[in-house]
Amino acid sequence: GQNIDQPTEMTATEGAIVQINCTYQTSGFNGLFWYQQHAGEAPTFLSYNVLDGLEEKGRFSSFLSRSKGYSYLLLKELQMKDSASYLCAVRDSGGSYIPTFGRGTSLIVHP
Amino acid sequence: EAQVTQNPRYLITVTGKKLTVTCSQNMNHEYMSWYRQDPGLGLRQIYYSMNVEVTDKGDVPEGYKVSRKEKRNFPLILESPSPNQTSLYFCASRGTEGYEQYFGPGTRLTVT
């Protein structure tokens, strides 16, 4: 089984930087995902990490440390439209290849 | 346009009345899955399928059935819905080559 933990809610100011952490415990690791989900909408893919280190994609970056069971999503130059839930998901090394999701972090961006 | 479609988008029904939520993808993906999403609980996997005629239980399969007779379709069946199945449901698909899951728009189900 898997245990994925992320903060329930965070707030930040427009233009600032915010880091959303995710810790996980899994019997075997085969990748970590971050998705963004606006209220009432489908999740949309942000990033995928399978090796240690930082992956940068525009204003968003994702970091992974497999030895620590830890990841973070870094959002720079925050915009109001970044207000959403951010879902951390981990795929284990079993046969399903389907990731298990954490409960999500609701990010509120203030003007 | 590559997409995952679900129908209906909204459904209000009564306890015990069988219903089916359809899911279809046009990307020739092998993997498909169903999730439910409830406040404070996040996305929880109901069932998944690795290919035609290959399905398996996820974390919360009780009260649900699925079938995968064709590669593009993966319907979710509630034989006797109950109020605790009131939720937002998402279908998702992924190909063997990639790692990104593509989600459908969601089906909001209310069982009274």
PDB file of all heavy atoms in Angstrom, chain A residues 33 35 37 41-43 45 48 87 91 95-103, chain B residues 31 33 35 37 40-43 45 48 50 90 94 99-101 103-105:
ATOM      1  N   PHE A  33       3.813  12.067  -9.566  1.00  0.00           N
ATOM      2  CA  PHE A  33       3.119  13.017 -10.438  1.00  0.00           C
ATOM      3  C   PHE A  33       2.587  14.184  -9.620  1.00  0.00           C
ATOM      4  O   PHE A  33       2.239  14.038  -8.455  1.00  0.00           O
ATOM      5  CB  PHE A  33       1.913  12.347 -11.108  1.00  0.00           C
ATOM      6  CG  PHE A  33       2.243  11.132 -11.920  1.00  0.00           C
ATOM      7  CD1 PHE A  33       2.451   9.909 -11.313  1.00  0.00           C
ATOM      8  CD2 PHE A  33       2.304  11.212 -13.303  1.00  0.00           C
ATOM      9  CE1 PHE A  33       2.734   8.772 -12.063  1.00  0.00           C
ATOM     10  CE2 PHE A  33       2.579  10.086 -14.060  1.00  0.00           C
ATOM     11  CZ  PHE A  33       2.795   8.882 -13.436  1.00  0.00           C
ATOM     12  N   TYR A  35      -0.545  17.013 -10.272  1.00  0.00           N
ATOM     13  CA  TYR A  35      -1.658  17.452 -11.102  1.00  0.00           C
ATOM     14  C   TYR A  35      -2.246  18.714 -10.491  1.00  0.00           C
ATOM     15  O   TYR A  35      -2.214  18.914  -9.269  1.00  0.00           O
ATOM     16  CB  TYR A  35      -2.758  16.381 -11.161  1.00  0.00           C
ATOM     17  CG  TYR A  35      -2.475  15.232 -12.101  1.00  0.00           C
ATOM     18  CD1 TYR A  35      -1.646  14.180 -11.713  1.00  0.00           C
ATOM     19  CD2 TYR A  35      -3.055  15.195 -13.371  1.00  0.00           C
ATOM     20  CE1 TYR A  35      -1.400  13.130 -12.586  1.00  0.00           C
ATOM     21  CE2 TYR A  35      -2.808  14.138 -14.236  1.00  0.00           C
ATOM     22  CZ  TYR A  35      -1.977  13.115 -13.835  1.00  0.00           C
ATOM     23  OH  TYR A  35      -1.734  12.078 -14.694  1.00  0.00           O
ATOM     24  N   GLN A  37      -5.868  20.883 -10.214  1.00  0.00           N
ATOM     25  CA  GLN A  37      -7.312  20.700 -10.403  1.00  0.00           C
ATOM     26  C   GLN A  37      -8.056  21.943  -9.928  1.00  0.00           C
ATOM     27  O   GLN A  37      -8.044  22.262  -8.736  1.00  0.00           O
ATOM     28  CB  GLN A  37      -7.816  19.474  -9.641  1.00  0.00           C
ATOM     29  CG  GLN A  37      -9.276  19.165  -9.912  1.00  0.00           C
ATOM     30  CD  GLN A  37      -9.779  17.957  -9.163  1.00  0.00           C
ATOM     31  OE1 GLN A  37      -9.237  17.580  -8.116  1.00  0.00           O
ATOM     32  NE2 GLN A  37     -10.817  17.316  -9.697  1.00  0.00           N
ATOM     33  N   GLU A  41     -13.519  20.763 -11.884  1.00  0.00           N
ATOM     34  CA  GLU A  41     -12.956  20.380 -13.173  1.00  0.00           C
ATOM     35  C   GLU A  41     -12.090  19.136 -13.041  1.00  0.00           C
ATOM     36  O   GLU A  41     -11.799  18.662 -11.946  1.00  0.00           O
ATOM     37  CB  GLU A  41     -12.142  21.530 -13.769  1.00  0.00           C
ATOM     38  CG  GLU A  41     -12.970  22.772 -14.037  1.00  0.00           C
ATOM     39  CD  GLU A  41     -12.151  23.881 -14.679  1.00  0.00           C
ATOM     40  OE1 GLU A  41     -10.983  23.637 -15.049  1.00  0.00           O
ATOM     41  OE2 GLU A  41     -12.683  24.991 -14.803  1.00  0.00           O
ATOM     42  N   ALA A  42     -11.664  18.604 -14.178  1.00  0.00           N
ATOM     43  CA  ALA A  42     -10.791  17.437 -14.188  1.00  0.00           C
ATOM     44  C   ALA A  42      -9.363  17.829 -13.825  1.00  0.00           C
ATOM     45  O   ALA A  42      -8.926  18.944 -14.113  1.00  0.00           O
ATOM     46  CB  ALA A  42     -10.807  16.784 -15.567  1.00  0.00           C
ATOM     47  N   PRO A  43      -8.621  16.920 -13.209  1.00  0.00           N
ATOM     48  CA  PRO A  43      -7.194  17.176 -12.972  1.00  0.00           C
ATOM     49  C   PRO A  43      -6.446  17.291 -14.294  1.00  0.00           C
ATOM     50  O   PRO A  43      -6.759  16.584 -15.256  1.00  0.00           O
ATOM     51  CB  PRO A  43      -6.735  15.934 -12.201  1.00  0.00           C
ATOM     52  CG  PRO A  43      -7.975  15.334 -11.643  1.00  0.00           C
ATOM     53  CD  PRO A  43      -9.051  15.644 -12.629  1.00  0.00           C
ATOM     54  N   PHE A  45      -2.415  17.373 -15.904  1.00  0.00           N
ATOM     55  CA  PHE A  45      -1.056  16.960 -15.613  1.00  0.00           C
ATOM     56  C   PHE A  45      -0.111  18.153 -15.543  1.00  0.00           C
ATOM     57  O   PHE A  45      -0.161  19.044 -16.393  1.00  0.00           O
ATOM     58  CB  PHE A  45      -0.605  15.990 -16.701  1.00  0.00           C
ATOM     59  CG  PHE A  45       0.830  15.617 -16.657  1.00  0.00           C
ATOM     60  CD1 PHE A  45       1.278  14.632 -15.802  1.00  0.00           C
ATOM     61  CD2 PHE A  45       1.749  16.240 -17.499  1.00  0.00           C
ATOM     62  CE1 PHE A  45       2.606  14.271 -15.774  1.00  0.00           C
ATOM     63  CE2 PHE A  45       3.087  15.896 -17.477  1.00  0.00           C
ATOM     64  CZ  PHE A  45       3.514  14.899 -16.614  1.00  0.00           C
ATOM     65  N   TYR A  48       6.066  15.020 -13.902  1.00  0.00           N
ATOM     66  CA  TYR A  48       6.359  13.626 -13.575  1.00  0.00           C
ATOM     67  C   TYR A  48       7.831  13.524 -13.219  1.00  0.00           C
ATOM     68  O   TYR A  48       8.692  13.992 -13.968  1.00  0.00           O
ATOM     69  CB  TYR A  48       6.051  12.743 -14.772  1.00  0.00           C
ATOM     70  CG  TYR A  48       6.493  11.301 -14.652  1.00  0.00           C
ATOM     71  CD1 TYR A  48       5.900  10.456 -13.726  1.00  0.00           C
ATOM     72  CD2 TYR A  48       7.465  10.779 -15.494  1.00  0.00           C
ATOM     73  CE1 TYR A  48       6.282   9.127 -13.629  1.00  0.00           C
ATOM     74  CE2 TYR A  48       7.854   9.451 -15.404  1.00  0.00           C
ATOM     75  CZ  TYR A  48       7.262   8.626 -14.469  1.00  0.00           C
ATOM     76  OH  TYR A  48       7.645   7.311 -14.380  1.00  0.00           O
ATOM     77  N   LEU A  87      -2.502  18.086  -6.640  1.00  0.00           N
ATOM     78  CA  LEU A  87      -2.568  16.690  -6.245  1.00  0.00           C
ATOM     79  C   LEU A  87      -1.227  16.015  -6.478  1.00  0.00           C
ATOM     80  O   LEU A  87      -0.688  16.059  -7.589  1.00  0.00           O
ATOM     81  CB  LEU A  87      -3.646  15.961  -7.061  1.00  0.00           C
ATOM     82  CG  LEU A  87      -5.004  16.635  -7.181  1.00  0.00           C
ATOM     83  CD1 LEU A  87      -5.937  15.799  -8.050  1.00  0.00           C
ATOM     84  CD2 LEU A  87      -5.623  16.882  -5.821  1.00  0.00           C
ATOM     85  N   ARG A  91       3.145   6.346  -8.130  1.00  0.00           N
ATOM     86  CA  ARG A  91       2.941   5.066  -8.775  1.00  0.00           C
ATOM     87  C   ARG A  91       3.933   4.073  -8.198  1.00  0.00           C
ATOM     88  O   ARG A  91       5.122   4.360  -8.108  1.00  0.00           O
ATOM     89  CB  ARG A  91       3.151   5.210 -10.286  1.00  0.00           C
ATOM     90  CG  ARG A  91       2.749   4.004 -11.087  1.00  0.00           C
ATOM     91  CD  ARG A  91       2.730   4.332 -12.557  1.00  0.00           C
ATOM     92  NE  ARG A  91       4.044   4.616 -13.098  1.00  0.00           N
ATOM     93  CZ  ARG A  91       4.266   5.025 -14.338  1.00  0.00           C
ATOM     94  NH1 ARG A  91       3.249   5.193 -15.169  1.00  0.00           N
ATOM     95  NH2 ARG A  91       5.486   5.271 -14.763  1.00  0.00           N
ATOM     96  N   GLY A  95       1.979  -4.008 -10.795  1.00  0.00           N
ATOM     97  CA  GLY A  95       1.642  -4.140 -12.203  1.00  0.00           C
ATOM     98  C   GLY A  95       0.595  -3.198 -12.746  1.00  0.00           C
ATOM     99  O   GLY A  95       0.397  -3.146 -13.952  1.00  0.00           O
ATOM    100  N   SER A  96      -0.079  -2.436 -11.888  1.00  0.00           N
ATOM    101  CA  SER A  96      -1.218  -1.676 -12.387  1.00  0.00           C
ATOM    102  C   SER A  96      -0.819  -0.428 -13.161  1.00  0.00           C
ATOM    103  O   SER A  96      -1.575   0.043 -14.005  1.00  0.00           O
ATOM    104  CB  SER A  96      -2.137  -1.275 -11.244  1.00  0.00           C
ATOM    105  OG  SER A  96      -1.634  -0.156 -10.537  1.00  0.00           O
ATOM    106  N   TYR A  97       0.343   0.149 -12.865  1.00  0.00           N
ATOM    107  CA  TYR A  97       0.797   1.394 -13.500  1.00  0.00           C
ATOM    108  C   TYR A  97      -0.181   2.549 -13.302  1.00  0.00           C
ATOM    109  O   TYR A  97      -0.117   3.539 -13.999  1.00  0.00           O
ATOM    110  CB  TYR A  97       1.039   1.181 -14.999  1.00  0.00           C
ATOM    111  CG  TYR A  97       2.110   0.169 -15.274  1.00  0.00           C
ATOM    112  CD1 TYR A  97       1.781  -1.133 -15.583  1.00  0.00           C
ATOM    113  CD2 TYR A  97       3.445   0.522 -15.203  1.00  0.00           C
ATOM    114  CE1 TYR A  97       2.767  -2.070 -15.811  1.00  0.00           C
ATOM    115  CE2 TYR A  97       4.443  -0.413 -15.430  1.00  0.00           C
ATOM    116  CZ  TYR A  97       4.093  -1.703 -15.738  1.00  0.00           C
ATOM    117  OH  TYR A  97       5.066  -2.628 -15.967  1.00  0.00           O
ATOM    118  N   ILE A  98      -1.086   2.397 -12.378  1.00  0.00           N
ATOM    119  CA  ILE A  98      -2.039   3.464 -12.092  1.00  0.00           C
ATOM    120  C   ILE A  98      -1.619   4.124 -10.783  1.00  0.00           C
ATOM    121  O   ILE A  98      -1.467   3.450  -9.769  1.00  0.00           O
ATOM    122  CB  ILE A  98      -3.474   2.913 -11.951  1.00  0.00           C
ATOM    123  CG1 ILE A  98      -3.865   2.084 -13.172  1.00  0.00           C
ATOM    124  CG2 ILE A  98      -4.452   4.055 -11.729  1.00  0.00           C
ATOM    125  CD1 ILE A  98      -4.011   2.857 -14.449  1.00  0.00           C
ATOM    126  N   PRO A  99      -1.417   5.450 -10.766  1.00  0.00           N
ATOM    127  CA  PRO A  99      -0.950   6.103  -9.537  1.00  0.00           C
ATOM    128  C   PRO A  99      -2.038   6.229  -8.475  1.00  0.00           C
ATOM    129  O   PRO A  99      -3.229   6.275  -8.781  1.00  0.00           O
ATOM    130  CB  PRO A  99      -0.506   7.486 -10.018  1.00  0.00           C
ATOM    131  CG  PRO A  99      -1.297   7.735 -11.255  1.00  0.00           C
ATOM    132  CD  PRO A  99      -1.509   6.383 -11.888  1.00  0.00           C
ATOM    133  N   THR A 100      -1.607   6.297  -7.229  1.00  0.00           N
ATOM    134  CA  THR A 100      -2.481   6.585  -6.091  1.00  0.00           C
ATOM    135  C   THR A 100      -2.308   8.043  -5.727  1.00  0.00           C
ATOM    136  O   THR A 100      -1.187   8.540  -5.624  1.00  0.00           O
ATOM    137  CB  THR A 100      -2.108   5.694  -4.899  1.00  0.00           C
ATOM    138  OG1 THR A 100      -2.317   4.329  -5.268  1.00  0.00           O
ATOM    139  CG2 THR A 100      -2.969   6.031  -3.686  1.00  0.00           C
ATOM    140  N   PHE A 101      -3.419   8.724  -5.494  1.00  0.00           N
ATOM    141  CA  PHE A 101      -3.397  10.161  -5.238  1.00  0.00           C
ATOM    142  C   PHE A 101      -3.437  10.469  -3.755  1.00  0.00           C
ATOM    143  O   PHE A 101      -4.103   9.788  -2.975  1.00  0.00           O
ATOM    144  CB  PHE A 101      -4.605  10.826  -5.908  1.00  0.00           C
ATOM    145  CG  PHE A 101      -4.458  10.971  -7.392  1.00  0.00           C
ATOM    146  CD1 PHE A 101      -4.696   9.899  -8.237  1.00  0.00           C
ATOM    147  CD2 PHE A 101      -4.064  12.176  -7.954  1.00  0.00           C
ATOM    148  CE1 PHE A 101      -4.553  10.023  -9.608  1.00  0.00           C
ATOM    149  CE2 PHE A 101      -3.921  12.315  -9.322  1.00  0.00           C
ATOM    150  CZ  PHE A 101      -4.154  11.231 -10.143  1.00  0.00           C
ATOM    151  N   GLY A 102      -2.734  11.529  -3.369  1.00  0.00           N
ATOM    152  CA  GLY A 102      -2.902  12.122  -2.057  1.00  0.00           C
ATOM    153  C   GLY A 102      -4.200  12.918  -2.023  1.00  0.00           C
ATOM    154  O   GLY A 102      -4.920  13.016  -3.025  1.00  0.00           O
ATOM    155  N   ARG A 103      -4.495  13.515  -0.873  1.00  0.00           N
ATOM    156  CA  ARG A 103      -5.767  14.217  -0.698  1.00  0.00           C
ATOM    157  C   ARG A 103      -5.769  15.606  -1.313  1.00  0.00           C
ATOM    158  O   ARG A 103      -6.810  16.248  -1.382  1.00  0.00           O
ATOM    159  CB  ARG A 103      -6.130  14.288   0.780  1.00  0.00           C
ATOM    160  CG  ARG A 103      -6.304  12.920   1.379  1.00  0.00           C
ATOM    161  CD  ARG A 103      -6.784  12.967   2.802  1.00  0.00           C
ATOM    162  NE  ARG A 103      -6.980  11.605   3.307  1.00  0.00           N
ATOM    163  CZ  ARG A 103      -7.607  11.309   4.414  1.00  0.00           C
ATOM    164  NH1 ARG A 103      -8.116  12.256   5.174  1.00  0.00           N
ATOM    165  NH2 ARG A 103      -7.737  10.054   4.799  1.00  0.00           N
TER     166      ARG A 103
ATOM    167  N   TYR B  31      -4.540   1.578 -20.833  1.00  0.00           N
ATOM    168  CA  TYR B  31      -4.922   1.664 -19.430  1.00  0.00           C
ATOM    169  C   TYR B  31      -6.089   2.625 -19.254  1.00  0.00           C
ATOM    170  O   TYR B  31      -6.058   3.751 -19.754  1.00  0.00           O
ATOM    171  CB  TYR B  31      -3.749   2.162 -18.585  1.00  0.00           C
ATOM    172  CG  TYR B  31      -2.542   1.277 -18.620  1.00  0.00           C
ATOM    173  CD1 TYR B  31      -1.398   1.648 -19.324  1.00  0.00           C
ATOM    174  CD2 TYR B  31      -2.538   0.069 -17.951  1.00  0.00           C
ATOM    175  CE1 TYR B  31      -0.290   0.837 -19.366  1.00  0.00           C
ATOM    176  CE2 TYR B  31      -1.425  -0.753 -17.986  1.00  0.00           C
ATOM    177  CZ  TYR B  31      -0.307  -0.361 -18.688  1.00  0.00           C
ATOM    178  OH  TYR B  31       0.797  -1.167 -18.725  1.00  0.00           O
ATOM    179  N   SER B  33      -9.068   3.842 -16.039  1.00  0.00           N
ATOM    180  CA  SER B  33      -9.388   3.716 -14.622  1.00  0.00           C
ATOM    181  C   SER B  33     -10.538   4.634 -14.251  1.00  0.00           C
ATOM    182  O   SER B  33     -10.836   5.600 -14.965  1.00  0.00           O
ATOM    183  CB  SER B  33      -8.158   4.033 -13.760  1.00  0.00           C
ATOM    184  OG  SER B  33      -7.648   5.313 -14.070  1.00  0.00           O
ATOM    185  N   TYR B  35     -12.124   6.811 -10.887  1.00  0.00           N
ATOM    186  CA  TYR B  35     -11.885   7.386  -9.568  1.00  0.00           C
ATOM    187  C   TYR B  35     -13.180   8.026  -9.073  1.00  0.00           C
ATOM    188  O   TYR B  35     -14.009   8.479  -9.853  1.00  0.00           O
ATOM    189  CB  TYR B  35     -10.833   8.494  -9.626  1.00  0.00           C
ATOM    190  CG  TYR B  35      -9.437   8.051  -9.979  1.00  0.00           C
ATOM    191  CD1 TYR B  35      -9.021   7.997 -11.300  1.00  0.00           C
ATOM    192  CD2 TYR B  35      -8.526   7.725  -8.986  1.00  0.00           C
ATOM    193  CE1 TYR B  35      -7.720   7.616 -11.631  1.00  0.00           C
ATOM    194  CE2 TYR B  35      -7.223   7.348  -9.301  1.00  0.00           C
ATOM    195  CZ  TYR B  35      -6.835   7.302 -10.626  1.00  0.00           C
ATOM    196  OH  TYR B  35      -5.553   6.933 -10.945  1.00  0.00           O
ATOM    197  N   GLN B  37     -14.181  11.167  -6.223  1.00  0.00           N
ATOM    198  CA  GLN B  37     -13.560  12.250  -5.475  1.00  0.00           C
ATOM    199  C   GLN B  37     -14.561  12.826  -4.490  1.00  0.00           C
ATOM    200  O   GLN B  37     -15.646  13.267  -4.893  1.00  0.00           O
ATOM    201  CB  GLN B  37     -13.041  13.340  -6.410  1.00  0.00           C
ATOM    202  CG  GLN B  37     -12.219  14.408  -5.705  1.00  0.00           C
ATOM    203  CD  GLN B  37     -11.561  15.360  -6.688  1.00  0.00           C
ATOM    204  OE1 GLN B  37     -12.143  15.733  -7.698  1.00  0.00           O
ATOM    205  NE2 GLN B  37     -10.332  15.762  -6.390  1.00  0.00           N
ATOM    206  N   GLY B  40     -12.211  16.225   1.176  1.00  0.00           N
ATOM    207  CA  GLY B  40     -11.334  15.763   2.247  1.00  0.00           C
ATOM    208  C   GLY B  40     -10.720  14.399   2.032  1.00  0.00           C
ATOM    209  O   GLY B  40      -9.846  13.979   2.793  1.00  0.00           O
ATOM    210  N   LEU B  41     -11.153  13.701   0.990  1.00  0.00           N
ATOM    211  CA  LEU B  41     -10.638  12.340   0.758  1.00  0.00           C
ATOM    212  C   LEU B  41      -9.823  12.243  -0.519  1.00  0.00           C
ATOM    213  O   LEU B  41      -9.173  11.230  -0.755  1.00  0.00           O
ATOM    214  CB  LEU B  41     -11.793  11.340   0.718  1.00  0.00           C
ATOM    215  CG  LEU B  41     -12.575  11.181   2.015  1.00  0.00           C
ATOM    216  CD1 LEU B  41     -13.721  10.193   1.827  1.00  0.00           C
ATOM    217  CD2 LEU B  41     -11.666  10.729   3.158  1.00  0.00           C
ATOM    218  N   GLY B  42      -9.894  13.229  -1.354  1.00  0.00           N
ATOM    219  CA  GLY B  42      -9.102  13.192  -2.575  1.00  0.00           C
ATOM    220  C   GLY B  42      -9.656  12.215  -3.599  1.00  0.00           C
ATOM    221  O   GLY B  42     -10.798  11.746  -3.499  1.00  0.00           O
ATOM    222  N   LEU B  43      -8.850  11.894  -4.578  1.00  0.00           N
ATOM    223  CA  LEU B  43      -9.207  10.946  -5.634  1.00  0.00           C
ATOM    224  C   LEU B  43      -8.906   9.525  -5.168  1.00  0.00           C
ATOM    225  O   LEU B  43      -7.773   9.208  -4.833  1.00  0.00           O
ATOM    226  CB  LEU B  43      -8.387  11.229  -6.897  1.00  0.00           C
ATOM    227  CG  LEU B  43      -8.863  12.326  -7.833  1.00  0.00           C
ATOM    228  CD1 LEU B  43      -7.770  12.665  -8.830  1.00  0.00           C
ATOM    229  CD2 LEU B  43     -10.109  11.883  -8.572  1.00  0.00           C
ATOM    230  N   GLN B  45      -9.223   5.432  -6.222  1.00  0.00           N
ATOM    231  CA  GLN B  45      -9.392   4.561  -7.371  1.00  0.00           C
ATOM    232  C   GLN B  45     -10.439   3.485  -7.108  1.00  0.00           C
ATOM    233  O   GLN B  45     -10.390   2.803  -6.082  1.00  0.00           O
ATOM    234  CB  GLN B  45      -8.058   3.913  -7.719  1.00  0.00           C
ATOM    235  CG  GLN B  45      -8.043   3.195  -9.042  1.00  0.00           C
ATOM    236  CD  GLN B  45      -6.717   2.509  -9.288  1.00  0.00           C
ATOM    237  OE1 GLN B  45      -6.659   1.317  -9.532  1.00  0.00           O
ATOM    238  NE2 GLN B  45      -5.646   3.254  -9.175  1.00  0.00           N
ATOM    239  N   TYR B  48      -9.637  -0.429 -12.288  1.00  0.00           N
ATOM    240  CA  TYR B  48      -8.795  -0.079 -13.418  1.00  0.00           C
ATOM    241  C   TYR B  48      -8.763  -1.241 -14.403  1.00  0.00           C
ATOM    242  O   TYR B  48      -9.135  -2.370 -14.069  1.00  0.00           O
ATOM    243  CB  TYR B  48      -7.388   0.326 -12.979  1.00  0.00           C
ATOM    244  CG  TYR B  48      -6.587  -0.767 -12.316  1.00  0.00           C
ATOM    245  CD1 TYR B  48      -5.767  -1.614 -13.056  1.00  0.00           C
ATOM    246  CD2 TYR B  48      -6.630  -0.938 -10.930  1.00  0.00           C
ATOM    247  CE1 TYR B  48      -5.023  -2.602 -12.443  1.00  0.00           C
ATOM    248  CE2 TYR B  48      -5.898  -1.926 -10.310  1.00  0.00           C
ATOM    249  CZ  TYR B  48      -5.086  -2.750 -11.061  1.00  0.00           C
ATOM    250  OH  TYR B  48      -4.350  -3.730 -10.455  1.00  0.00           O
ATOM    251  N   MET B  50      -6.204  -2.832 -17.622  1.00  0.00           N
ATOM    252  CA  MET B  50      -4.928  -2.743 -18.329  1.00  0.00           C
ATOM    253  C   MET B  50      -5.075  -3.042 -19.820  1.00  0.00           C
ATOM    254  O   MET B  50      -4.153  -2.820 -20.585  1.00  0.00           O
ATOM    255  CB  MET B  50      -3.904  -3.670 -17.677  1.00  0.00           C
ATOM    256  CG  MET B  50      -3.574  -3.245 -16.245  1.00  0.00           C
ATOM    257  SD  MET B  50      -2.584  -4.421 -15.338  1.00  0.00           S
ATOM    258  CE  MET B  50      -1.032  -4.284 -16.193  1.00  0.00           C
ATOM    259  N   PHE B  90     -14.493  10.423 -11.924  1.00  0.00           N
ATOM    260  CA  PHE B  90     -13.622  10.703 -13.058  1.00  0.00           C
ATOM    261  C   PHE B  90     -13.138   9.410 -13.684  1.00  0.00           C
ATOM    262  O   PHE B  90     -12.726   8.483 -12.993  1.00  0.00           O
ATOM    263  CB  PHE B  90     -12.397  11.508 -12.628  1.00  0.00           C
ATOM    264  CG  PHE B  90     -12.687  12.932 -12.286  1.00  0.00           C
ATOM    265  CD1 PHE B  90     -12.763  13.330 -10.957  1.00  0.00           C
ATOM    266  CD2 PHE B  90     -12.866  13.880 -13.281  1.00  0.00           C
ATOM    267  CE1 PHE B  90     -13.027  14.650 -10.632  1.00  0.00           C
ATOM    268  CE2 PHE B  90     -13.125  15.196 -12.966  1.00  0.00           C
ATOM    269  CZ  PHE B  90     -13.210  15.593 -11.635  1.00  0.00           C
ATOM    270  N   ARG B  94      -4.551   6.116 -20.124  1.00  0.00           N
ATOM    271  CA  ARG B  94      -3.116   6.312 -20.379  1.00  0.00           C
ATOM    272  C   ARG B  94      -2.639   5.251 -21.346  1.00  0.00           C
ATOM    273  O   ARG B  94      -3.083   4.093 -21.278  1.00  0.00           O
ATOM    274  CB  ARG B  94      -2.338   6.218 -19.074  1.00  0.00           C
ATOM    275  CG  ARG B  94      -0.834   6.459 -19.212  1.00  0.00           C
ATOM    276  CD  ARG B  94      -0.112   6.295 -17.884  1.00  0.00           C
ATOM    277  NE  ARG B  94       0.078   4.912 -17.512  1.00  0.00           N
ATOM    278  CZ  ARG B  94       1.064   4.148 -17.950  1.00  0.00           C
ATOM    279  NH1 ARG B  94       1.933   4.608 -18.811  1.00  0.00           N
ATOM    280  NH2 ARG B  94       1.166   2.892 -17.536  1.00  0.00           N
ATOM    281  N   TYR B  99       3.276   8.421 -19.622  1.00  0.00           N
ATOM    282  CA  TYR B  99       3.010   8.263 -18.196  1.00  0.00           C
ATOM    283  C   TYR B  99       1.869   9.169 -17.723  1.00  0.00           C
ATOM    284  O   TYR B  99       1.362   9.003 -16.641  1.00  0.00           O
ATOM    285  CB  TYR B  99       4.269   8.585 -17.380  1.00  0.00           C
ATOM    286  CG  TYR B  99       5.023   9.792 -17.883  1.00  0.00           C
ATOM    287  CD1 TYR B  99       4.579  11.069 -17.598  1.00  0.00           C
ATOM    288  CD2 TYR B  99       6.159   9.642 -18.659  1.00  0.00           C
ATOM    289  CE1 TYR B  99       5.259  12.180 -18.071  1.00  0.00           C
ATOM    290  CE2 TYR B  99       6.856  10.748 -19.130  1.00  0.00           C
ATOM    291  CZ  TYR B  99       6.401  12.011 -18.837  1.00  0.00           C
ATOM    292  OH  TYR B  99       7.076  13.109 -19.305  1.00  0.00           O
ATOM    293  N   GLU B 100       1.490  10.119 -18.540  1.00  0.00           N
ATOM    294  CA  GLU B 100       0.434  11.058 -18.160  1.00  0.00           C
ATOM    295  C   GLU B 100      -0.931  10.413 -18.298  1.00  0.00           C
ATOM    296  O   GLU B 100      -1.232   9.787 -19.323  1.00  0.00           O
ATOM    297  CB  GLU B 100       0.513  12.290 -19.042  1.00  0.00           C
ATOM    298  CG  GLU B 100      -0.598  13.303 -18.814  1.00  0.00           C
ATOM    299  CD  GLU B 100      -0.527  14.462 -19.787  1.00  0.00           C
ATOM    300  OE1 GLU B 100       0.482  14.549 -20.529  1.00  0.00           O
ATOM    301  OE2 GLU B 100      -1.463  15.262 -19.823  1.00  0.00           O
ATOM    302  N   GLN B 101      -1.756  10.559 -17.286  1.00  0.00           N
ATOM    303  CA  GLN B 101      -3.148  10.144 -17.381  1.00  0.00           C
ATOM    304  C   GLN B 101      -3.983  11.316 -17.896  1.00  0.00           C
ATOM    305  O   GLN B 101      -3.794  12.453 -17.478  1.00  0.00           O
ATOM    306  CB  GLN B 101      -3.696   9.715 -16.016  1.00  0.00           C
ATOM    307  CG  GLN B 101      -3.269   8.348 -15.563  1.00  0.00           C
ATOM    308  CD  GLN B 101      -4.169   7.812 -14.480  1.00  0.00           C
ATOM    309  OE1 GLN B 101      -5.050   7.006 -14.737  1.00  0.00           O
ATOM    310  NE2 GLN B 101      -3.961   8.256 -13.260  1.00  0.00           N
ATOM    311  N   PHE B 103      -7.728  12.775 -18.052  1.00  0.00           N
ATOM    312  CA  PHE B 103      -8.975  12.640 -17.317  1.00  0.00           C
ATOM    313  C   PHE B 103     -10.161  13.124 -18.135  1.00  0.00           C
ATOM    314  O   PHE B 103     -10.059  14.097 -18.899  1.00  0.00           O
ATOM    315  CB  PHE B 103      -8.910  13.446 -16.015  1.00  0.00           C
ATOM    316  CG  PHE B 103      -8.106  12.785 -14.942  1.00  0.00           C
ATOM    317  CD1 PHE B 103      -6.722  12.917 -14.908  1.00  0.00           C
ATOM    318  CD2 PHE B 103      -8.723  12.019 -13.964  1.00  0.00           C
ATOM    319  CE1 PHE B 103      -5.979  12.306 -13.919  1.00  0.00           C
ATOM    320  CE2 PHE B 103      -7.985  11.401 -12.965  1.00  0.00           C
ATOM    321  CZ  PHE B 103      -6.612  11.546 -12.943  1.00  0.00           C
ATOM    322  N   GLY B 104     -11.297  12.450 -17.934  1.00  0.00           N
ATOM    323  CA  GLY B 104     -12.546  12.946 -18.471  1.00  0.00           C
ATOM    324  C   GLY B 104     -13.033  14.135 -17.659  1.00  0.00           C
ATOM    325  O   GLY B 104     -12.453  14.469 -16.633  1.00  0.00           O
ATOM    326  N   PRO B 105     -14.137  14.764 -18.090  1.00  0.00           N
ATOM    327  CA  PRO B 105     -14.613  15.992 -17.447  1.00  0.00           C
ATOM    328  C   PRO B 105     -15.308  15.762 -16.114  1.00  0.00           C
ATOM    329  O   PRO B 105     -15.564  16.719 -15.388  1.00  0.00           O
ATOM    330  CB  PRO B 105     -15.598  16.556 -18.477  1.00  0.00           C
ATOM    331  CG  PRO B 105     -16.093  15.356 -19.202  1.00  0.00           C
ATOM    332  CD  PRO B 105     -14.940  14.403 -19.269  1.00  0.00           C
TER     333      PRO B 105
END
